[in-house]
PDB file of all heavy atoms in Angstrom:
ATOM      1  N   GLU B  62      -0.651  31.297   0.006  1.00 87.00           N
ATOM      2  CA  GLU B  62       0.413  31.356  -1.017  1.00 87.00           C
ATOM      3  C   GLU B  62       0.210  30.272  -2.066  1.00 87.00           C
ATOM      4  O   GLU B  62       0.331  30.509  -3.261  1.00 87.00           O
ATOM      5  CB  GLU B  62       1.778  31.145  -0.354  1.00 87.00           C
ATOM      6  CG  GLU B  62       2.311  32.383   0.376  1.00 87.00           C
ATOM      7  CD  GLU B  62       3.525  32.054   1.260  1.00 87.00           C
ATOM      8  OE1 GLU B  62       4.187  31.011   1.006  1.00 87.00           O
ATOM      9  OE2 GLU B  62       3.782  32.826   2.193  1.00 87.00           O
ATOM     10  N   ILE B  63      -0.100  29.047  -1.591  1.00 83.00           N
ATOM     11  CA  ILE B  63      -0.216  27.911  -2.524  1.00 83.00           C
ATOM     12  C   ILE B  63      -1.446  28.053  -3.420  1.00 83.00           C
ATOM     13  O   ILE B  63      -1.395  27.811  -4.617  1.00 83.00           O
ATOM     14  CB  ILE B  63      -0.256  26.574  -1.739  1.00 83.00           C
ATOM     15  CG1 ILE B  63       1.120  26.311  -1.092  1.00 83.00           C
ATOM     16  CG2 ILE B  63      -0.629  25.409  -2.650  1.00 83.00           C
ATOM     17  CD1 ILE B  63       1.142  25.126  -0.131  1.00 83.00           C
ATOM     18  N   THR B  64      -2.578  28.456  -2.813  1.00 78.00           N
ATOM     19  CA  THR B  64      -3.812  28.542  -3.603  1.00 78.00           C
ATOM     20  C   THR B  64      -3.899  29.844  -4.388  1.00 78.00           C
ATOM     21  O   THR B  64      -4.552  29.884  -5.430  1.00 78.00           O
ATOM     22  CB  THR B  64      -5.080  28.523  -2.708  1.00 78.00           C
ATOM     23  OG1 THR B  64      -4.957  29.550  -1.727  1.00 78.00           O
ATOM     24  CG2 THR B  64      -5.255  27.166  -2.047  1.00 78.00           C
ATOM     25  N   GLY B  65      -3.295  30.906  -3.875  1.00 83.00           N
ATOM     26  CA  GLY B  65      -3.527  32.225  -4.459  1.00 83.00           C
ATOM     27  C   GLY B  65      -4.922  32.729  -4.143  1.00 83.00           C
ATOM     28  O   GLY B  65      -5.388  33.700  -4.722  1.00 83.00           O
ATOM     29  N   ILE B  66      -5.623  32.037  -3.228  1.00 82.00           N
ATOM     30  CA  ILE B  66      -6.985  32.449  -2.846  1.00 82.00           C
ATOM     31  C   ILE B  66      -6.942  33.031  -1.438  1.00 82.00           C
ATOM     32  O   ILE B  66      -6.368  32.437  -0.534  1.00 82.00           O
ATOM     33  CB  ILE B  66      -7.959  31.239  -2.862  1.00 82.00           C
ATOM     34  CG1 ILE B  66      -7.991  30.604  -4.256  1.00 82.00           C
ATOM     35  CG2 ILE B  66      -9.362  31.668  -2.443  1.00 82.00           C
ATOM     36  CD1 ILE B  66      -8.716  29.271  -4.296  1.00 82.00           C
ATOM     37  N   ASP B  67      -7.552  34.219  -1.289  1.00 84.00           N
ATOM     38  CA  ASP B  67      -7.494  34.906   0.000  1.00 84.00           C
ATOM     39  C   ASP B  67      -8.431  34.281   1.027  1.00 84.00           C
ATOM     40  O   ASP B  67      -8.130  34.266   2.215  1.00 84.00           O
ATOM     41  CB  ASP B  67      -7.890  36.376  -0.179  1.00 84.00           C
ATOM     42  CG  ASP B  67      -6.663  37.241  -0.376  1.00 84.00           C
ATOM     43  OD1 ASP B  67      -5.537  36.712  -0.220  1.00 84.00           O
ATOM     44  OD2 ASP B  67      -6.821  38.431  -0.710  1.00 84.00           O
ATOM     45  N   ASP B  68      -9.575  33.809   0.561  1.00 86.00           N
ATOM     46  CA  ASP B  68     -10.618  33.380   1.500  1.00 86.00           C
ATOM     47  C   ASP B  68     -11.201  32.044   1.036  1.00 86.00           C
ATOM     48  O   ASP B  68     -12.337  31.964   0.574  1.00 86.00           O
ATOM     49  CB  ASP B  68     -11.706  34.458   1.575  1.00 86.00           C
ATOM     50  CG  ASP B  68     -12.663  34.228   2.737  1.00 86.00           C
ATOM     51  OD1 ASP B  68     -12.485  33.219   3.461  1.00 86.00           O
ATOM     52  OD2 ASP B  68     -13.585  35.039   2.924  1.00 86.00           O
ATOM     53  N   PRO B  69     -10.408  30.954   1.147  1.00 81.00           N
ATOM     54  CA  PRO B  69     -10.868  29.663   0.600  1.00 81.00           C
ATOM     55  C   PRO B  69     -12.113  29.116   1.288  1.00 81.00           C
ATOM     56  O   PRO B  69     -12.783  28.260   0.735  1.00 81.00           O
ATOM     57  CB  PRO B  69      -9.667  28.732   0.806  1.00 81.00           C
ATOM     58  CG  PRO B  69      -8.800  29.383   1.819  1.00 81.00           C
ATOM     59  CD  PRO B  69      -9.056  30.847   1.725  1.00 81.00           C
ATOM     60  N   PHE B  70     -12.430  29.618   2.468  1.00 85.00           N
ATOM     61  CA  PHE B  70     -13.603  29.098   3.197  1.00 85.00           C
ATOM     62  C   PHE B  70     -14.843  29.970   3.003  1.00 85.00           C
ATOM     63  O   PHE B  70     -15.821  29.792   3.722  1.00 85.00           O
ATOM     64  CB  PHE B  70     -13.278  28.975   4.690  1.00 85.00           C
ATOM     65  CG  PHE B  70     -12.424  27.777   5.018  1.00 85.00           C
ATOM     66  CD1 PHE B  70     -11.076  27.767   4.715  1.00 85.00           C
ATOM     67  CD2 PHE B  70     -12.974  26.649   5.594  1.00 85.00           C
ATOM     68  CE1 PHE B  70     -10.290  26.667   4.994  1.00 85.00           C
ATOM     69  CE2 PHE B  70     -12.192  25.543   5.880  1.00 85.00           C
ATOM     70  CZ  PHE B  70     -10.844  25.551   5.579  1.00 85.00           C
ATOM     71  N   LYS B  71     -14.759  30.913   2.034  1.00 88.00           N
ATOM     72  CA  LYS B  71     -15.839  31.877   1.827  1.00 88.00           C
ATOM     73  C   LYS B  71     -17.211  31.189   1.730  1.00 88.00           C
ATOM     74  O   LYS B  71     -18.149  31.546   2.439  1.00 88.00           O
ATOM     75  CB  LYS B  71     -15.540  32.669   0.553  1.00 88.00           C
ATOM     76  CG  LYS B  71     -16.389  33.894   0.324  1.00 88.00           C
ATOM     77  CD  LYS B  71     -15.816  34.703  -0.847  1.00 88.00           C
ATOM     78  CE  LYS B  71     -16.658  35.950  -1.106  1.00 88.00           C
ATOM     79  NZ  LYS B  71     -17.864  35.654  -1.889  1.00 88.00           N
ATOM     80  N   LYS B  72     -17.307  30.206   0.845  1.00 86.00           N
ATOM     81  CA  LYS B  72     -18.613  29.560   0.615  1.00 86.00           C
ATOM     82  C   LYS B  72     -19.093  28.792   1.844  1.00 86.00           C
ATOM     83  O   LYS B  72     -20.271  28.819   2.175  1.00 86.00           O
ATOM     84  CB  LYS B  72     -18.516  28.607  -0.587  1.00 86.00           C
ATOM     85  CG  LYS B  72     -18.606  29.396  -1.876  1.00 86.00           C
ATOM     86  CD  LYS B  72     -18.673  28.491  -3.083  1.00 86.00           C
ATOM     87  CE  LYS B  72     -18.613  29.359  -4.351  1.00 86.00           C
ATOM     88  NZ  LYS B  72     -18.308  28.561  -5.543  1.00 86.00           N
ATOM     89  N   ILE B  73     -18.165  28.101   2.492  1.00 86.00           N
ATOM     90  CA  ILE B  73     -18.528  27.353   3.701  1.00 86.00           C
ATOM     91  C   ILE B  73     -19.041  28.317   4.774  1.00 86.00           C
ATOM     92  O   ILE B  73     -20.044  28.058   5.438  1.00 86.00           O
ATOM     93  CB  ILE B  73     -17.312  26.551   4.233  1.00 86.00           C
ATOM     94  CG1 ILE B  73     -16.961  25.417   3.251  1.00 86.00           C
ATOM     95  CG2 ILE B  73     -17.591  25.988   5.620  1.00 86.00           C
ATOM     96  CD1 ILE B  73     -15.697  24.647   3.601  1.00 86.00           C
ATOM     97  N   LYS B  74     -18.358  29.450   4.915  1.00 91.00           N
ATOM     98  CA  LYS B  74     -18.767  30.429   5.922  1.00 91.00           C
ATOM     99  C   LYS B  74     -20.158  30.985   5.606  1.00 91.00           C
ATOM    100  O   LYS B  74     -20.994  31.132   6.506  1.00 91.00           O
ATOM    101  CB  LYS B  74     -17.753  31.575   6.005  1.00 91.00           C
ATOM    102  CG  LYS B  74     -16.415  31.147   6.595  1.00 91.00           C
ATOM    103  CD  LYS B  74     -15.530  32.337   6.939  1.00 91.00           C
ATOM    104  CE  LYS B  74     -15.090  33.085   5.706  1.00 91.00           C
ATOM    105  NZ  LYS B  74     -14.250  34.251   6.030  1.00 91.00           N
ATOM    106  N   GLU B  75     -20.400  31.279   4.324  1.00 93.00           N
ATOM    107  CA  GLU B  75     -21.711  31.816   3.943  1.00 93.00           C
ATOM    108  C   GLU B  75     -22.806  30.787   4.228  1.00 93.00           C
ATOM    109  O   GLU B  75     -23.877  31.133   4.735  1.00 93.00           O
ATOM    110  CB  GLU B  75     -21.707  32.200   2.453  1.00 93.00           C
ATOM    111  CG  GLU B  75     -20.919  33.486   2.208  1.00 93.00           C
ATOM    112  CD  GLU B  75     -20.705  33.780   0.721  1.00 93.00           C
ATOM    113  OE1 GLU B  75     -21.156  32.973  -0.119  1.00 93.00           O
ATOM    114  OE2 GLU B  75     -20.077  34.812   0.421  1.00 93.00           O
ATOM    115  N   LYS B  76     -22.508  29.538   3.930  1.00 90.00           N
ATOM    116  CA  LYS B  76     -23.477  28.458   4.170  1.00 90.00           C
ATOM    117  C   LYS B  76     -23.758  28.339   5.679  1.00 90.00           C
ATOM    118  O   LYS B  76     -24.910  28.272   6.102  1.00 90.00           O
ATOM    119  CB  LYS B  76     -22.899  27.146   3.632  1.00 90.00           C
ATOM    120  CG  LYS B  76     -23.811  25.937   3.754  1.00 90.00           C
ATOM    121  CD  LYS B  76     -23.223  24.737   3.022  1.00 90.00           C
ATOM    122  CE  LYS B  76     -23.890  23.440   3.424  1.00 90.00           C
ATOM    123  NZ  LYS B  76     -23.433  22.900   4.725  1.00 90.00           N
ATOM    124  N   ASN B  77     -22.682  28.344   6.481  1.00 90.00           N
ATOM    125  CA  ASN B  77     -22.856  28.242   7.931  1.00 90.00           C
ATOM    126  C   ASN B  77     -23.673  29.404   8.473  1.00 90.00           C
ATOM    127  O   ASN B  77     -24.506  29.229   9.362  1.00 90.00           O
ATOM    128  CB  ASN B  77     -21.494  28.228   8.653  1.00 90.00           C
ATOM    129  CG  ASN B  77     -20.747  26.934   8.423  1.00 90.00           C
ATOM    130  OD1 ASN B  77     -21.334  25.933   8.041  1.00 90.00           O
ATOM    131  ND2 ASN B  77     -19.454  26.952   8.643  1.00 90.00           N
ATOM    132  N   THR B  78     -23.402  30.596   7.948  1.00 94.00           N
ATOM    133  CA  THR B  78     -24.114  31.781   8.427  1.00 94.00           C
ATOM    134  C   THR B  78     -25.587  31.688   8.047  1.00 94.00           C
ATOM    135  O   THR B  78     -26.467  31.972   8.869  1.00 94.00           O
ATOM    136  CB  THR B  78     -23.473  33.067   7.862  1.00 94.00           C
ATOM    137  OG1 THR B  78     -22.106  33.107   8.266  1.00 94.00           O
ATOM    138  CG2 THR B  78     -24.182  34.316   8.377  1.00 94.00           C
ATOM    139  N   ARG B  79     -25.864  31.271   6.807  1.00 93.00           N
ATOM    140  CA  ARG B  79     -27.263  31.104   6.380  1.00 93.00           C
ATOM    141  C   ARG B  79     -27.982  30.111   7.279  1.00 93.00           C
ATOM    142  O   ARG B  79     -29.096  30.352   7.737  1.00 93.00           O
ATOM    143  CB  ARG B  79     -27.322  30.618   4.929  1.00 93.00           C
ATOM    144  CG  ARG B  79     -27.482  31.747   3.907  1.00 93.00           C
ATOM    145  CD  ARG B  79     -27.902  31.197   2.533  1.00 93.00           C
ATOM    146  NE  ARG B  79     -27.047  30.107   2.088  1.00 93.00           N
ATOM    147  CZ  ARG B  79     -25.897  30.265   1.421  1.00 93.00           C
ATOM    148  NH1 ARG B  79     -25.463  31.478   1.130  1.00 93.00           N
ATOM    149  NH2 ARG B  79     -25.192  29.207   1.056  1.00 93.00           N
ATOM    150  N   GLU B  80     -27.326  28.981   7.547  1.00 90.00           N
ATOM    151  CA  GLU B  80     -27.956  27.950   8.389  1.00 90.00           C
ATOM    152  C   GLU B  80     -28.204  28.469   9.802  1.00 90.00           C
ATOM    153  O   GLU B  80     -29.243  28.195  10.408  1.00 90.00           O
ATOM    154  CB  GLU B  80     -27.076  26.694   8.434  1.00 90.00           C
ATOM    155  CG  GLU B  80     -27.184  25.877   7.142  1.00 90.00           C
ATOM    156  CD  GLU B  80     -26.140  24.751   7.062  1.00 90.00           C
ATOM    157  OE1 GLU B  80     -25.361  24.586   8.017  1.00 90.00           O
ATOM    158  OE2 GLU B  80     -26.110  24.069   6.036  1.00 90.00           O
ATOM    159  N   ALA B  81     -27.247  29.238  10.310  1.00 92.00           N
ATOM    160  CA  ALA B  81     -27.409  29.793  11.652  1.00 92.00           C
ATOM    161  C   ALA B  81     -28.530  30.829  11.666  1.00 92.00           C
ATOM    162  O   ALA B  81     -29.325  30.888  12.612  1.00 92.00           O
ATOM    163  CB  ALA B  81     -26.097  30.401  12.136  1.00 92.00           C
ATOM    164  N   LEU B  82     -28.616  31.623  10.598  1.00 95.00           N
ATOM    165  CA  LEU B  82     -29.686  32.632  10.522  1.00 95.00           C
ATOM    166  C   LEU B  82     -31.055  31.951  10.462  1.00 95.00           C
ATOM    167  O   LEU B  82     -32.028  32.450  11.035  1.00 95.00           O
ATOM    168  CB  LEU B  82     -29.486  33.545   9.309  1.00 95.00           C
ATOM    169  CG  LEU B  82     -28.405  34.624   9.467  1.00 95.00           C
ATOM    170  CD1 LEU B  82     -28.145  35.331   8.136  1.00 95.00           C
ATOM    171  CD2 LEU B  82     -28.789  35.657  10.550  1.00 95.00           C
ATOM    172  N   ASP B  83     -31.129  30.810   9.791  1.00 92.00           N
ATOM    173  CA  ASP B  83     -32.385  30.048   9.757  1.00 92.00           C
ATOM    174  C   ASP B  83     -32.807  29.631  11.168  1.00 92.00           C
ATOM    175  O   ASP B  83     -33.985  29.512  11.458  1.00 92.00           O
ATOM    176  CB  ASP B  83     -32.235  28.789   8.885  1.00 92.00           C
ATOM    177  CG  ASP B  83     -32.205  29.124   7.391  1.00 92.00           C
ATOM    178  OD1 ASP B  83     -32.569  30.272   7.033  1.00 92.00           O
ATOM    179  OD2 ASP B  83     -31.806  28.254   6.593  1.00 92.00           O
ATOM    180  N   LEU B  84     -31.814  29.370  12.004  1.00 92.00           N
ATOM    181  CA  LEU B  84     -32.111  28.947  13.379  1.00 92.00           C
ATOM    182  C   LEU B  84     -32.438  30.130  14.292  1.00 92.00           C
ATOM    183  O   LEU B  84     -32.930  29.929  15.404  1.00 92.00           O
ATOM    184  CB  LEU B  84     -30.896  28.212  13.973  1.00 92.00           C
ATOM    185  CG  LEU B  84     -30.613  26.796  13.483  1.00 92.00           C
ATOM    186  CD1 LEU B  84     -29.296  26.305  14.062  1.00 92.00           C
ATOM    187  CD2 LEU B  84     -31.745  25.858  13.905  1.00 92.00           C
ATOM    188  N   TYR B  85     -32.129  31.352  13.824  1.00 95.00           N
ATOM    189  CA  TYR B  85     -32.245  32.539  14.683  1.00 95.00           C
ATOM    190  C   TYR B  85     -33.600  32.640  15.408  1.00 95.00           C
ATOM    191  O   TYR B  85     -33.627  32.807  16.646  1.00 95.00           O
ATOM    192  CB  TYR B  85     -31.922  33.805  13.866  1.00 95.00           C
ATOM    193  CG  TYR B  85     -32.013  35.082  14.638  1.00 95.00           C
ATOM    194  CD1 TYR B  85     -30.944  35.523  15.420  1.00 95.00           C
ATOM    195  CD2 TYR B  85     -33.173  35.866  14.596  1.00 95.00           C
ATOM    196  CE1 TYR B  85     -31.036  36.712  16.130  1.00 95.00           C
ATOM    197  CE2 TYR B  85     -33.265  37.047  15.302  1.00 95.00           C
ATOM    198  CZ  TYR B  85     -32.197  37.473  16.072  1.00 95.00           C
ATOM    199  OH  TYR B  85     -32.296  38.633  16.781  1.00 95.00           O
ATOM    200  N   PRO B  86     -34.736  32.511  14.690  1.00 95.00           N
ATOM    201  CA  PRO B  86     -36.036  32.619  15.402  1.00 95.00           C
ATOM    202  C   PRO B  86     -36.176  31.563  16.505  1.00 95.00           C
ATOM    203  O   PRO B  86     -36.649  31.872  17.603  1.00 95.00           O
ATOM    204  CB  PRO B  86     -37.068  32.377  14.288  1.00 95.00           C
ATOM    205  CG  PRO B  86     -36.333  32.653  13.014  1.00 95.00           C
ATOM    206  CD  PRO B  86     -34.914  32.290  13.253  1.00 95.00           C
TER     207      PRO B  86
END
Side-chain angles (χ1 to χ4, degrees):
Chain B
E62 282 168 21
I63 291 172
T64 54
I66 301 169
D67 266 352
D68 192 359
F70 283 75
K71 192 170 180 279
K72 280 186 186 164
I73 292 174
K74 291 192 293 179
E75 286 171 359
K76 182 172 164 282
N77 289 341
T78 302
R79 265 195 309 274
E80 284 170 2
L82 283 171
D83 286 346
L84 286 174
Y85 180 83

